[in-house]
Amino acid sequence: MTSFTMSWRNLAIVGASAAAIIGLLAGLNSARYDRAATAEMKQAGEELFVRQWVAHDPQAHGDGLGPVFNANSCVACHFQGGVGGGGDAVHNVVAYEVHPTVRDRKLQKGLVHAFAINQSFVESRALLKNTFPIIPGGDRVVGGCTVRFEDFDPVRIETTNSIALFGDGLIDRLNESAVRLSHVGRFAKQMGREFGGDFQTVGTGRPRNLPGGRLGKFGWKAQFATLEEFVAAACANELGLGNPLMEQAKPLGKEYSCDESDLTRQEFRQLVAFVEAIPRPVEVLPKDARQRDSAVRGKNLFGSIGCAECHTPDLGNVAGIYSDLMLHSLTSKESDGYQHQIVVEIPLAHDHPKPDEWRTPPLWGVADSAPYFHDGGSGTLYDAILRHEGDAMVVKKAFKGLPTEDQQALIAFLNTLRAPTSAEPAHGQPAASAVAANK
């Protein structure tokens, strides 16, 4: 029995290692060799980042802001702790995916935009549902067998909170192999514990493998491999600014075209250069001796109860990131004893993130980035910890089992993870002046 168990463990480890090696090769093939950004480029990029865009903006080379958008500047959603920080719940966005069907086999995704430059372009959840209606169920013949289909809603909606951009340049330059090999090491450790009879382990999650074998590192679903792609999507979808990598978002169900991108290649590179240069967060211990001792004890507890299994303190050559950049399930795995399965016409690809899977957000700067979780639904760090289920269920239970003083110490440690003191201060941002959507 021992040899059988060991062979399966070795097989699992070898399989995970092979996946990491394949990812490493893909990462090397897709490596970017960008010219170093100058101080002038970064300054020009910051001006673009804080600019309040308008429709037919003279700075733009296309149609400027819109036609649909969520804010009129980058800093309107990235301001907490300084320019480039996270956003508040007011600036949450409504993202959607439309599941492929036999009528339309393409997976569609986008945002229900909060604003539009024209009343006819106004978007809403109701419009989204009408555009992609529920598919009636019934008996259908599939592969020679009769299958009973329930009514199926192809639209999946999620509310997401703006992510802090501090230190993203370091993450962009982080070698894919370091991320994948770190995952393999944690996977092997978990397998060893489980084969030893310890099943109270933290789930290791999984990497997001994008087309071409590239590793997803940015976005709540790890849907972007590079910071450049992330910035391009934010410009196109949040501001309606077309750029060299992505066309502007179009109004839902409407025809709209613009012949020229709003940002030139040089301007887009300047904007990326500024985001790449946004400083990394810092760890600041309290000056008071008692508070400092509490924070230090909290840091030790952070590791001992398992928080650091997913919020890895150091990843590759990036110290203090507190993330493994993996997709993790955050929904309870406690079963009611029944299988619940929705029969779909066309299954999604295996690598596609499940609804309950989210990329582990880096915790550096977390003290200055409330609210928390992907939906901004947790107002405090304590609330956010108690929402952890799925892969982190065992950690949440361990935290709840701590004495109140130790719980407070762990929170005190998290409050030492501050936004960078060198970040540019973010001034008040006025609300976008345009036609609002009826969500």
Side-chain angles (χ1 to χ4, degrees), residues 304-327:
S304 64
I305 71 171
C307 302
E309 293 296 317
C310 301
H311 290 286
T312 308
D314 305 327
L315 193 58
N317 62 348
V318 179
I321 184 175
Y322 292 99
S323 174
D324 59 4
L325 302 181
M326 295 290 112
L327 291 173

Side-chain angles (χ1 to χ4, degrees), residues 93-105:
V93 301
V94 178
Y96 69 85
E97 281 190 346
V98 181
H99 199 290
T101 65
V102 294
R103 298 158 190 77
D104 188 348
R105 294 178 175 271

Side-chain angles (χ1 to χ4, degrees), residues 1-208:
M1 179 63 71
T2 301
S3 61
F4 175 79
T5 300
M6 288 299 293
S7 65
W8 274 106
R9 184 175 77 169
N10 291 340
L11 181 62
I13 294 172
V14 169
S17 300
I21 293 171
I22 292 171
L24 167 60
L25 295 175
L28 292 175
N29 288 334
S30 64
R32 297 181 301 120
Y33 299 94
D34 292 338
R35 294 188 300 272
T38 64
E40 290 76 14
M41 287 179 64
K42 297 173 186 176
Q43 177 62 39
E46 182 177 5
E47 293 172 3
L48 293 169
F49 193 92
V50 302
R51 182 181 181 83
Q52 294 178 21
W53 298 86
V54 297
H56 307 294
D57 197 299
Q59 174 76 35
H61 302 272
D63 57 3
L65 184 71
V68 287
F69 57 100
N70 284 319
N72 58 7
S73 71
C74 300
V75 75
C77 297
H78 295 282
F79 62 89
Q80 293 196 98
V83 174
D88 55 15
V90 173
H91 291 89
N92 280 5
V93 301
V94 178
Y96 69 85
E97 281 190 346
V98 181
H99 199 290
T101 65
V102 294
R103 298 158 190 77
D104 188 348
R105 294 178 175 271
K106 181 181 179 182
L107 173 69
Q108 301 187 55
K109 52 188 176 181
L111 304 177
V112 179
H113 294 91
F115 304 101
I117 62 172
N118 186 305
Q119 180 66 42
S120 66
F121 296 155
V122 169
E123 299 178 345
S124 66
R125 296 193 187 199
L127 176 61
L128 179 65
K129 292 289 187 179
N130 289 334
T131 305
F132 304 101
I134 290 175
I135 299 171
D139 293 335
R140 304 178 201 170
V141 177
V142 179
C145 299
T146 300
V147 178
R148 179 71 179 179
F149 285 81
E150 302 295 330
D151 289 351
F152 177 63
D153 186 351
V155 178
R156 180 186 300 153
I157 295 176
E158 291 285 358
T159 300
T160 57
N161 185 248
S162 299
I163 300 173
L165 307 178
F166 297 133
D168 271 3
L170 294 174
I171 298 175
D172 194 39
R173 294 187 291 275
L174 180 58
N175 195 304
E176 285 189 11
S177 63
V179 182
R180 293 184 185 275
L181 290 174
S182 175
H183 175 252
V184 169
R186 293 193 305 276
F187 178 79
K189 177 181 176 183
Q190 180 192 34
M191 292 294 291
R193 290 180 60 182
E194 290 186 355
F195 280 116
D198 179 6
F199 294 96
Q200 296 300 308
T201 58
V202 180
T204 58
R206 64 188 179 104
R208 175 78 187 271

Side-chain angles (χ1 to χ4, degrees), residues 202-373:
V202 180
T204 58
R206 64 188 179 104
R208 175 78 187 271
N209 295 309
L210 300 173
R214 300 183 309 153
L215 175 70
K217 294 192 290 185
F218 297 95
W220 278 112
K221 292 289 187 179
Q223 66 268 40
F224 304 107
T226 67
L227 185 58
E228 187 178 59
E229 293 168 350
F230 176 85
V231 172
C235 287
N237 294 319
E238 307 290 358
L239 302 174
L241 297 179
N243 56 78
L245 292 191
M246 187 173 291
E247 294 182 354
Q248 64 190 165
K250 304 295 192 298
L252 185 62
K254 300 288 185 180
E255 293 292 333
Y256 186 90
S257 63
C258 181
D259 296 332
E260 191 172 357
S261 293
D262 295 295
L263 300 179
T264 65
R265 186 171 297 278
Q266 180 183 15
E267 289 171 331
F268 177 68
R269 185 66 194 95
Q270 290 169 344
L271 182 58
V272 173
F274 168 70
V275 178
E276 286 178 337
I278 294 176
R280 66 185 299 158
V282 293
E283 187 171 337
V284 181
L285 287 170
K287 294 181 179 179
D288 179 82
R290 179 176 295 181
Q291 294 177 350
R292 184 169 59 251
D293 290 344
S294 177
V296 170
R297 188 172 79 257
K299 186 173 185 177
N300 292 330
L301 288 166
F302 184 88
S304 64
I305 71 171
C307 302
E309 293 296 317
C310 301
H311 290 286
T312 308
D314 305 327
L315 193 58
N317 62 348
V318 179
I321 184 175
Y322 292 99
S323 174
D324 59 4
L325 302 181
M326 295 290 112
L327 291 173
H328 284 273
S329 167
L330 289 179
T331 298
S332 176
K333 291 184 178 179
E334 294 182 351
S335 173
D336 59 6
Y338 295 91
Q339 286 190 347
H340 302 273
Q341 183 175 2
I342 299 175
V343 180
V344 298
E345 297 172 326
I346 300 178
L348 293 173
H350 173 71
D351 281 340
H352 191 79
K354 297 177 177 61
D356 66 333
E357 287 184 315
W358 302 91
R359 183 202 67 152
T360 306
L363 290 186
W364 55 7
V366 71
D368 297 303
S369 61
Y372 304 107
F373 253 67

